[in-house]
Amino acid sequence: MNQLAQKNLDNVDVWQQICTELKKRIGNATYNSWINPLKLVSLENHELQLSAPTKFIADWVETHFYPKIRALSPVEIRTISISIGGLNEQTPPASEAVEVAPETKVINIDNYNEAISSRIDKRYRFDNFITASSNDIAFAAAKKVAEKGGDAGFNPLFLHAGVGLGKTHLLHAIANYNLDNNTGRKVLYLSAEKFLHCFIRSLRDKKILEFKEELRSADILMIDDFQFICGKESTQQEFFHTFNALVDSGKQLVISCDRAPSEFTELEERMRSRLASGLVMDIEKTDYNLRLQILKSKTAEHEAQISDEILEFMAEKITSNVRELEGALNRITARTSLVSRQIDIDSAKNWIADLLKVKTKDISIQEIQKEVAAEFNINLSDMVSSSRAKQIARPRQIAMYLAKKLTTSSLMEIGKMFGGKDHTTVMHACKKIDELQREDLGFMNSIETLTAKLKSC
Ligand code: ADP
Ligand code: MG
């Protein structure tokens, strides 16, 4: 790619172009399941950084789409990385910044000397956050901060919970509230990643003072996923100074974290007690009713037609966190939109089989061989033979692939179990099956079904 073209293409355009090309090649359904949830974080120095709402999606994209993304990019991409979390909406184009009411500044530091409102997800609001006893106090506390800023009566607000339980949603809801109501407050939202990125960049560019000023000028400063900041001595110190300056001048601080201050062993004592000096609030795990209500609310938002039976099934089975639940719902919604008939529960189960909390049992290579042989109607002995006939070699490759994916055996051990094959043969099989899945959605579905069957038998 020549330099001029590279220069003329905005990063968002580049990502859009990659997405459009990918969609053409992999089809809408696959695209909606895997690529649509990704968000562009940055594209700099040939390094593409994306974020995915779940680790599952990130892993899948890594194993299935990296080469395609690289090949389809109009600019050279040398490395791709995907972080977990963040918002599953693409970075809004810069022009969206004009939507921000002039009196209220909501800033996400993309560039410490450029105050642009971006990446505040407009969908994350107080009115679509469903409450129950597990999260209603955290919700009320966040709302109070949104309404009163530094006069909330507690400072900082320290929200802690496991992943996918609504921390980021509440932080964005605070920002959205201030935007919508034109409160005139300057609200600064920073993911920990962004904080670190800006901090390191400002050190490098000798602009640390500007960076500190920017932080200290906020009326409400929100730091998301604080756990990533405090492991590092220098940023911990920096944060601590900013923290004191803000609180002392009556500005409100909101911190989200995966654990309570008392659980931080790596934190200095003065910092730990300072963090705990405001309101420490946790969001507990969801219960069945809350999960069902969330599903109903999101289904209505998407205007999707999904039966109560399917929603109840999901609420019962996907208990880990709301993000996983949403992932499953998105998958079903995406596929439902492609067919005109009402989706039955069995199809739904198949589509999300890998997300379901099935019995976590160890799967053996022998079980895989047996299942695959039965599925393709070949003899079990064919699994260890050296026949190259396609009707035998392909199922054998599938079994090797599944052995790699579902067991902890090494390539060498797997090779041994397939009649003493070399580890490169296993590697080749895995690559081939990956490739076939990328090319053929039907094939991908049958591998997914087989995987789900093995996990549940
Ligand atoms: P966290 O930051 O705690 O990891 P998020 O705020 O990103 O979690 O939440 C993950 C997803 O679940 C988001 O899409 C969010 O809208 C949704 N979610 C979580 N809790 C609720 C809730 N109580 N009501 C509605 N949606 C929720
Ligand atoms: Mg979060």
Side-chain angles (χ1 to χ4, degrees), residues 402-418:
L402 291 171
K404 174 80 184 62
K405 203 169 131 190
L406 302 175
T407 74
T408 50
S409 305
S410 67
L411 293 172
M412 206 132 54
E413 286 162 342
I414 297 172
K416 258 195 209 145
M417 296 292 289
F418 282 82

Side-chain angles (χ1 to χ4, degrees), residues 168 224-225 323:
T168 299
D224 207 354
D225 288 324
R323 190 174 298 149

Side-chain angles (χ1 to χ4, degrees), residues 168-184:
T168 299
H169 187 130
L170 285 178
L171 263 48
H172 283 239
I174 292 175
N176 281 319
Y177 177 94
N178 278 277
L179 269 175
D180 293 347
N181 294 289
N182 251 329
T183 58

Side-chain angles (χ1 to χ4, degrees), residues 87-89 118-125 172-173 176:
L87 311 168
N88 39 11
E89 191 177 68
S118 66
R119 307 234 183 99
I120 292 297
D121 192 319
K122 290 198 164 32
R123 294 170 309 175
Y124 290 168
R125 328 180 60 79
H172 283 239
N176 281 319

Side-chain angles (χ1 to χ4, degrees), residues 1 30 38 43 59 64 70 81 109-110 117 120 192 234 247 249 252 283 306 320 326 335 339 348 357 364 370 385 437:
M1 193 75 216
T30 313
L38 300 178
L43 175 55
D59 287 348
H64 294 83
R70 235 183 252 129
S81 57
I109 298 192
D110 271 333
S117 168
I120 292 297
S234 54
V247 173
S249 57
Q252 183 68 31
I283 304 177
I306 299 171
S320 47
E326 260 195 314
R335 300 204 184 189
V339 291
K357 276 258 168 285
S364 70
K370 231 163 106 184
S385 79
Q437 289 189 86

